Amino acid sequence: MTTTELIVYIAIFCIGTLFGSFFTLAVYRIPLKKDITHERSFCPNCNHKLTFLDMIPILSYICLGGKCRYCKQKIRPRYLLLEIFSGIVFVLFAISIKLNVLESSVSTIVYFVFGLLYLATLFIIAGIDKEKIQVEKSVLLFGYIIEALYIVYLYIVEKDPNIYRYVIYLAIICVLVVLDTVVLRKKAKNSYPIDIMLLCMFILTFTYPAVSIYTILMTLLMIAFYIVFHKISNSRNKTTKVSEKLPIGFFLCISNAVILLITNFYILGN
């Protein structure tokens, strides 16, 4: 690895940590319908607005000893872990497509940018679903807009011959949206299964069909491990709680991010 490549990957890691810091804010505010772009960050315990020095990813957490500067309330380690994890994933994605700023083609750089936005959408959807058991439609809509822009680029610039499959995907998405907004809401029925299907279509539209299939298989495997783990945990604690809503969207997003990275490494490594 050259010095230039190392500097680029360090920069990408820093960008990833910034995104990770934003993810925590978005996951907290979006379900509450709060502004995520203009309102300054604040401590959820004392509501004190944070300064620039309080929001430097990783470094602020370490320097402050994992506590709020103002009320001394402990900050959950998951914020630090998410920032580190986001930075690592961004770097792995860059490495998986063999990104080289000086030598990579325009199509590779464009794919890298849209890929990061795609992963960012997955992370926010996963975080909200894990907390609320719901696929936030506003985030999903943002993801669809990103995909639409990328499809336009592929059609106009890359002359992608597979553009017709995107039209089919769009038709299926429209049917699901109509089913969700017109049929299910009118009958006050749970739309979570439709939301999961919309999420699957979001995944299918950006990635290869094989990646989507592997994503679903990995999701089922993760859910199986999750259920077994909780049953063992409940039996040890002698609790009788069996029914629990599963954050299927969370498992889908995490599985897809992992499979996407593995697929990129495999395809571009051969």
Side-chain angles (χ1 to χ4, degrees):
M1 181 183 295
T2 64
T3 303
T4 303
E5 289 176 330
L6 180 61
I7 293 174
V8 169
Y9 289 140
I10 291 175
I12 292 173
F13 177 81
C14 293
I15 293 172
T17 60
L18 288 172
F19 269 83
S21 180
F22 172 76
F23 296 154
T24 59
L25 178 147
V27 168
Y28 172 74
R29 291 190 183 182
I30 290 177
L32 300 176
K33 310 302 179 185
K34 291 186 176 182
D35 183 80
I36 62 172
T37 56
H38 297 87
E39 185 180 353
R40 283 177 55 185
S41 298
F42 57 87
C43 172
N45 182 60
C46 64
N47 293 323
H48 194 288
K49 291 185 178 180
L50 304 180
T51 65
F52 173 78
L53 294 177
D54 299 324
M55 297 185 293
I56 301 175
I58 301 177
L59 293 179
S60 293
Y61 186 95
I62 295 174
C63 293
L64 294 173
K67 297 179 181 179
C68 172
R69 182 193 301 272
Y70 310 99
C71 65
K72 306 305 178 183
Q73 178 74 18
K74 284 188 176 181
I75 303 172
R76 289 197 285 183
R78 75 171 188 175
Y79 295 119
L80 173 64
L81 295 176
L82 182 57
E83 290 172 355
I84 296 174
F85 177 75
S86 298
I88 292 174
V89 170
F90 275 37
V91 171
L92 287 177
F93 183 69
I95 296 175
S96 73
I97 63 174
K98 296 184 177 179
L99 180 71
N100 188 320
V101 176
L102 300 178
E103 299 179 3
S104 294
S105 63
V106 173
S107 60
T108 299
I109 295 175
V110 171
Y111 175 69
F112 174 69
V113 173
F114 279 100
L116 292 188
L117 293 174
Y118 173 78
L119 289 171
T121 305
L122 289 182
F123 286 159
I124 296 175
I125 290 175
I128 294 176
D129 189 64
K130 188 175 185 299
E131 296 289 332
K132 306 292 183 180
I133 315 296
Q134 70 179 52
V135 177
E136 185 63 41
K137 288 187 174 62
S138 61
V139 181
L140 197 55
L141 176 60
F142 169 79
Y144 280 130
I145 292 173
I146 294 301
E147 287 185 338
L149 292 174
Y150 187 55
I151 290 170
V152 170
Y153 164 79
L154 290 176
Y155 180 69
I156 296 177
V157 180
E158 299 290 331
K159 308 297 183 182
D160 190 343
N162 297 317
I163 195 67
Y164 296 105
R165 77 181 178 99
Y166 297 120
V167 176
I168 296 173
Y169 297 159
L170 179 61
I172 296 174
I173 291 169
C174 290
V175 171
L176 291 174
V177 170
V178 170
L179 182 62
D180 177 38
T181 57
V182 177
V183 180
L184 294 182
R185 288 190 183 182
K186 187 175 292 185
K187 295 184 179 181
K189 290 187 176 181
N190 181 20
S191 64
Y192 189 66
I194 298 296
D195 293 341
I196 293 300
M197 293 176 67
L198 284 169
L199 178 57
C200 288
M201 290 306 303
F202 171 68
I203 291 172
L204 177 61
T205 302
F206 189 83
T207 60
Y208 311 104
V211 172
S212 300
I213 294 174
Y214 290 137
T215 294
I216 293 174
L217 292 176
M218 183 175 177
T219 298
L220 294 175
L221 186 63
M222 289 178 67
I223 290 175
F225 277 117
Y226 179 85
I227 292 174
V228 169
F229 174 79
H230 272 264
K231 283 189 175 181
I232 294 174
S233 178
N234 289 340
S235 63
R236 288 180 177 178
N237 297 329
K238 297 181 179 180
T239 58
T240 57
K241 184 178 180 181
V242 178
S243 62
E244 183 179 356
K245 290 184 178 180
L246 291 172
I248 300 175
F250 168 78
F251 292 121
L252 270 172
C253 292
I254 299 301
S255 298
N256 183 244
V258 173
I259 295 297
L260 179 61
L261 290 175
I262 293 174
T263 304
N264 283 344
F265 274 111
Y266 177 75
I267 292 177
L268 297 177
N270 293 316

